[in-house]
Amino acid sequence: MQASDRFNINSQLEHLQAKYVGTGHADLNRFEWAVNIQRDSFASYIGHYPILAYFAIAENESIGRERYNFMQKMLLPCGLPPEREDD
Amino acid sequence: MYLYNLTLQKATGIVCAINGNFSGGKSQEIVVARGKILDLLRPDDSGKIQTVLSVEIFGAVRSLAQFRLTGAQKDYIVVGSDSGRIVILEFNREKNVFDKVHQETFGKSGCRRIVPGQYLAIDPKGRAVMIGACEKQKLVYVLNRDTAARLTISSPLEAHKSHTITYSICGVDCGFDNPIFAAIELDYLEADQDSTGQAASEAQKHLTFYELDLGLNHVSRKWSEPVDNGANMLVTVPGGGDGPSGVLVCAENFVIYKNQGHPDVRAVIPRRADLPAERGVLIISAATHKQKSMFFFLLQTEYGDIFKATLEHDGEHVQELKIKYFDTIPVTSSMCVLKSGFLFAASEFGNHALYQFQAIGEEADVEASSATLMETEEGFQPVFFQPRGLKNLVRIDQVESLMPIMDMKVENLFEEETPQIFTLCGRGPRSSLRILRPGLAISEMAVSQLPGVPSAVWTVKKNAIDEFDAYIVVSFANATLVLSIGETVEEVSDSGFLDTTPSLAVSLIGDDSLMQVHPSGIRHIREDGRINEWRTPGKRTIVKVGSNRLQVVIALSGGELIYFEVDLTGQLMEVEKLEMSGDVACLDIAPVPEGRQRSRFLAVGSYDNTVRILSLDPDDCLQILSVQSVSAAPESLLFLEVQASIGGEDGADHPASLFLNAGLSNGVLFRTVVDMVTGQLSDSRSRFLGLRAPKLFSIVIRGRRAMLCLSSRPWLGYIHQGHFLLTPLSYEALEFAASFSSDQCAEGVVAVAGDALRVFTIERLGETFNETAIPLRYTPRKFVFHKKKSLIIIESDQGAFTAEEREAGKKEFFEGADMGENGNNNGDQMENGGDDEDKNDALSDEQYGYPKAESDKWVSCIRVLDPKTSNTTCLLELQDNEAAYSVCTVNFREKEYGTLLAVGTAKGLQFWPKRSVASGFIHIYRFVDDGRALELLHKTQVEGVPLALCQFQGRLLAGIGSVLRLYDLGKKRLLRKCENKLFPNTIVSIQTYRDRIYVGDMQESFHYCKYRRDENQLYVFADDSVPRWVTASHHIDFDTMAGADKFGNVYFVRLPQDVSDEIEEDPTGGKIKWEQGKLNGAPNKVEEIVQFHVGDVVTCLQKASLIPGGGDSVIYGTVMGSLGALLPFTSRDDVDFFSHLEMHLRQEYPPLCGRDHMAYRSAYFPVKDVIDGDLCEQFPTLPMDLQRKIADELDRTPAEILKKLEEVRNKII
């Protein structure tokens, strides 16, 4: 890689994508986008204790259980990924 | 419109708690995070939890950890928050503040997926800390000491792993080898890419050890091994000589001991016998107890059962893991085992508790062990148990918690001076209706009737060095009664006091003699029993007295003042006389300052509406130093020293200022600062206390002087954590009071009212509200008032059995138990009766929770409650899996039935896998028995869940899913009149005003509608352009709505004036009807006029005034159990002043945990036109030089700023 490449827009984007999980790109599909949104949401629910408590009241579960459920849902938040078309 | 946000009741729920010695020394302390507040609690000697310090940090605390450097005496606090920074705090005992020792930035702010802050782990030897995020990032900081023994922190070392979710982290105790951290991780990379689902089904959680190489300054993955896929929590096992090291992995249904190079040791968690098979058992909080010779773990499940986990080991190898049932307490978010033998349980919902250990579970009980673990074809064999009464723990204190506030209304139902706040709190069997009244709670110790109506009461000690009072002296219209205080309080006649005359003052004078002032003279009773009498000259009588231990001033009728001093021999000597121009209304002398001969100031109030300060110095004795005119005749005066700022344990290191307090005949308390040198009066403030002239008394609170003001209700002025607070007491009106100190009651008050003598103490200082709780059966949802007399509350719970089923289940269990225990004991009725009581207690739902049912089962009830007697007059349990969600009272146009009650219910509601409902209903009830009971008129089936009901023009408006529908009353059912199906999501709130309807949508904020009677149509004419997830709403005025969203914001929207006018002037309505929508919505858009991030989910809003004659403010209640108010400013000057103060405070005093204040208050939307009073109120806690600096920039003095803060607070409460 040449020194000048370091500053062009693509490598900057790549750097961002590597550093910040969830940074989008031009070929992002609907599923990937949704997965990111869902994971971000679950992480936010877990981080904000009052929201976690709000969910816990709605579902009549303990807050600890609610946190565990959200963590578990981070594995496949939107179900199975679609089959790839371009293979 | 500009608003001032002030938290009235700080959040009472607890996010997490840690314990340690934060102030050094021996005392055990607890640090709790209550969302945005950090508190330091300490159990006192009598086992009551005291709040030592409470700091608002303007950020969300997500995790806490404590550590101690080797050989150090005190613990540090590490805070993981949403600030993208790691913050290390140290408690400063002298100044009573948290000192920020280190603050290191590592990422963006906010609760993000990959920014650490969610998890914290500490090396048990205090050499390193790991801070982790939900995904990918983990950072390790090395902690050390520099040459001056100060704590140092290294730059972060990364232990990241991409595409990996972290469930829990903890430190591994490996003595003084390199620090190791353990983490439960799950790699999702392959599962995200494999569309067949095979990778996802094979996804495996791993337990990974990260080693920090202190020599290389590098973190490496040392060891990683698959672990049970239900794993959710790690607990450190002591090592390095104290134990086998390694970790306990808590997983669904199992606890597994794991260590590198050690085979797994697995044990099942015992299950409650009545638990449905579909449910697992999850450990959600853990505490470790470690002594020199042994250690054990307390693990609590999501149902509240605590298990004691012990390891059989030989120092390196673990042979057996035992899990024994310990006790059951309400579900906690954190447990802390204190070295002093206490367990602090921070409840998830409802009151927190402090328990004392009675035993440590040595007795036989249900136990699961790794040695007896049975694996069958269906998996591991479960172990069952039945919860029982507390055996090992005993509760010794409770800390009240309102969390969660589900609904709230402010109303003066009891016709008291101030309105009461009715809140629905708690969840499931621990729910309650709490009636909050502004004021301090008192606890009455004794009430005794007196032979007449007393006019005054005093307490005196026999000697200045005595700890307790010797006599209570009560004065009547023509006699004086002396009671001696001992084990009992009884009348005595040998005290030397003259009992045939009323008294004007009784006090200790000199070191050991007593003084009684009566209308015709002063009686001086020496310690050896000698009595000196001073008689008034001529026929004049004494009318007023002011005295301290060495000085006495009397006022004679006609207005003559005579000043006495106690000389060196203990004699009372007349020093000076002064003829005043008229009668004296009241007198006071400040107490003698420490190390001085006399107090310098005498305050004299006259009937010409003035207060004068006179000098008592020998040089200028009884010279007038200053005069202050007041708005009405002063009735009572009191000097009180007030320290303006905090410092010390709860005292001040700043110079105190002397305040002169005057109770005026118009009910106003007038306070003014007295210059300590010149006696000049300045900086006056006044506050209306009640309908009677306040009488002021000095009492002792927490060892310091405080002021009791008796108006039409009693008030207490005292200093709490640096603030001077003037708070009403929740007690009846009193006539006269004095402080009281005896063996049984160190700091009490004795008072007279009517013909009774009352002794009481004041409790829970610093709290704004005092509460009365009435228990409820299920999670309360909403309530309404009926005729200002009764409350109708709807309660519902998911996944629970109905009352009959529970009763049957209990019976079955008891019968089973009876068969087993006393199978041959048949007969004795008495004993059975006794037994039953025990067992009922043993299974009290409040402690153990309701048994869990399948998640699609609902229970619900409608309750009519009389708040005055706190009796439930009618309770209807709904049948057939129905649950109530909405309630309103409605007067239909046909007046046949008068006021009716409408309740919206749903049958078989399910949220998972998809939201579904069998059907919804609207029940119409009739009030019978004078509103005390309900009778079902009819019920109407609807297609969705009616989440909102409201009366509108003699009809009933219902929001059913996305449909807004107007119903009229029919004979057999409700009749549809009109509907609008165009709402985007789900209607959650309806409010009406004239012909406008304000509808709140679950996701899409407010919609303004209009009903056209002639066309019988509902139009949406305006909506919001911002998607708001409405959780609470309140109608402010014709064009304005206040709302709160799920993310913790409060906002106001207003329809622009011109649009509003246009709509009102459109007679045909044709314009609205045919107008094109904008942005996929209504043609007009409302404007956001106020926006503020509270940082807590607001569940209820109401416009109300909490003080008599005060302006309205918007009161809100939150999930975390806090109450706040938004007060509209009335003048532009105030807005300017407070926004500048806020700006300076932001700059000079950034929040403790590193979150930027402005960014926090603008977390989701930029803050608009709200000034944060919670930040402004931190001003008095600033160091003095900073206070002066900010005050200079505002062109004021610090005292003026304090006065301003006090004023604005007094407008709210």
Side-chain angles (χ1 to χ4, degrees), chain B residues 861-875:
Chain B
C861 67
I862 305 168
R863 179 192 297 266
V864 185
L865 191 129
D866 178 5
K868 282 188 186 123
T869 58
S870 62
N871 283 339
T872 299
T873 53
C874 173
L875 191 137

Side-chain angles (χ1 to χ4, degrees), chain B residues 310-616:
Chain B
T310 44
L311 292 168
E312 291 284 322
H313 66 94
D314 59 7
E316 283 190 0
H317 284 275
V318 173
Q319 287 99 21
E320 194 181 352
L321 167 63
K322 288 184 192 165
I323 300 177
K324 190 195 250 181
Y325 176 55
F326 191 74
D327 263 339
T328 301
I329 61 171
V331 184
T332 63
S333 57
S334 286
M335 292 189 292
C336 298
V337 179
L338 307 185
K339 289 228 162 58
S340 38
F342 294 111
L343 177 78
F344 177 71
S347 299
E348 280 190 345
F349 296 105
N351 295 353
H352 315 297
L354 186 71
Y355 295 89
Q356 189 161 30
F357 284 96
Q358 295 287 89
I360 50 166
E362 299 288 348
E363 279 177 51
D365 223 315
V366 177
E367 186 176 61
S369 160
S370 59
T372 57
L373 186 69
M374 294 279 285
E375 191 163 9
T376 62
E377 282 160 16
E378 293 128 38
F380 292 98
Q381 190 84 45
V383 175
F384 293 102
F385 76 100
Q386 261 307 332
R388 49 156 172 74
L390 292 180
K391 228 178 185 177
N392 298 304
L393 298 172
V394 57
R395 196 178 74 195
I396 53 169
D397 192 24
Q398 267 206 103
V399 184
E400 253 115 44
S401 166
L402 299 173
M403 176 173 182
I405 298 179
M406 300 293 288
D407 198 3
M408 172 208 69
K409 284 191 172 67
V410 183
E411 185 76 65
N412 196 351
L413 222 54
F414 298 134
E415 282 160 7
E416 290 168 7
E417 216 163 272
T418 54
Q420 302 86 47
I421 304 177
F422 294 83
T423 54
L424 294 181
C425 304
R427 194 177 72 159
R430 301 186 80 206
S431 15
S432 57
L433 167 77
R434 299 191 191 211
I435 305 168
L436 307 180
R437 293 179 172 88
L440 289 170
I442 66 119
S443 80
E444 202 166 65
M445 317 261 304
V447 179
S448 51
Q449 298 297 315
L450 293 171
V453 178
S455 57
V457 64
W458 301 270
T459 52
V460 274
K461 291 175 183 169
K462 274 188 175 160
N463 195 310
I465 53 170
D466 280 357
E467 195 180 345
F468 301 128
D469 291 320
Y471 296 116
I472 298 176
V473 182
V474 187
S475 170
F476 296 91
N478 52 8
T480 296
L481 177 73
V482 183
L483 304 164
S484 103
I485 306 168
E487 297 217 331
T488 57
V489 173
E490 51 200 23
E491 189 177 345
V492 287
S493 51
D494 60 348
S495 58
F497 289 116
L498 195 62
D499 56 2
T500 52
T501 165
S503 300
L504 291 170
V506 172
S507 67
L508 178 78
I509 200 111
D511 284 335
D512 51 8
S513 47
L514 301 173
M515 177 187 73
Q516 178 189 20
V517 184
H518 49 88
S520 53
I522 301 176
R523 192 178 172 90
H524 186 195
I525 307 155
R526 302 297 294 264
E527 192 243 346
D528 49 12
R530 280 184 294 145
I531 291 170
N532 299 337
E533 279 270 1
W534 179 89
R535 297 243 157 238
T536 50
K539 288 221 164 107
R540 302 174 83 176
T541 54
I542 302 177
V543 286
K544 300 287 168 193
V545 189
S547 72
N548 59 27
R549 218 161 53 72
L550 297 173
Q551 297 160 290
V552 183
V553 173
I554 55 169
L556 300 182
S557 52
E560 188 180 5
L561 286 180
I562 307 178
Y563 172 51
F564 298 86
E565 267 185 27
V566 178
D567 69 4
L568 293 172
T569 62
Q571 286 280 1
L572 205 56
M573 303 298 288
E574 188 176 325
V575 177
E576 188 67 48
K577 279 185 186 179
L578 178 72
E579 196 70 40
M580 299 287 283
S581 53
D583 263 342
V584 170
C586 45
L587 282 178
D588 192 50
I589 305 184
V592 182
E594 194 89 11
R596 295 278 183 84
Q597 281 256 309
R598 57 177 69 80
S599 163
R600 188 158 138 63
F601 301 122
L602 163 72
V604 179
S606 313
Y607 289 108
D608 58 357
N609 296 359
T610 55
V611 177
R612 291 182 174 80
I613 300 284
L614 276 61
S615 167
L616 295 179

Side-chain angles (χ1 to χ4, degrees), chain A residues 18-19 36 39-40 47 49-50 54 56-57 59-65 68 71-72 76 80-81 83, chain B residues 113 118 136 165-167 188 192 194-195 197 200 205 230 232 252 279 302 333 348 427 798 852 1031 1096:
Chain A
K19 191 169 174 195
N36 266 323
R39 287 208 178 110
D40 285 343
Y49 195 79
Y54 191 69
I57 297 162
E59 299 195 357
N60 199 16
E61 294 285 354
S62 79
I63 295 175
R65 164 65 76 169
Y68 172 75
M71 287 303 291
Q72 292 293 82
L76 280 181
L80 292 174
E83 283 183 38
Chain B
R113 173 150 66 125
Q118 184 67 41
K136 186 179 166 187
I165 300 162
T166 308
Y167 286 81
Y188 66 72
D192 265 7
D194 180 16
S195 58
K205 285 184 189 168
N232 71 315
E252 206 166 6
R279 296 197 62 102
E302 57 186 310
S333 57
E348 280 190 345
R427 194 177 72 159
Q798 192 184 13
K852 287 275 177 192
T1031 54
D1096 196 351

Side-chain angles (χ1 to χ4, degrees), chain B residues 1091-1131:
Chain B
Q1091 153 66 37
F1092 186 70
H1093 182 63
V1094 175
D1096 196 351
V1097 181
V1098 172
T1099 50
C1100 38
L1101 285 166
Q1102 199 194 342
K1103 189 170 76 173
S1105 164
L1106 294 180
I1107 49 170
D1112 277 347
S1113 43
V1114 174
I1115 315 289
Y1116 59 83
T1118 72
V1119 163
M1120 292 293 284
S1122 73
L1123 288 171
L1126 294 162
L1127 175 82
F1129 279 111
T1130 45
S1131 86

Side-chain angles (χ1 to χ4, degrees), chain B residues 174-193:
Chain B
C174 43
F176 285 101
D177 292 343
N178 277 334
I180 293 177
F181 294 98
I184 304 173
E185 296 180 337
L186 174 68
D187 191 314
Y188 66 72
L189 182 64
E190 278 171 23
D192 265 7
Q193 275 152 5

Side-chain angles (χ1 to χ4, degrees), chain B residues 225-246:
Chain B
E225 196 175 87
V227 70
D228 191 295
N229 258 343
N232 71 315
M233 197 165 74
L234 291 173
V235 183
T236 309
V237 175
D242 298 333
S245 179

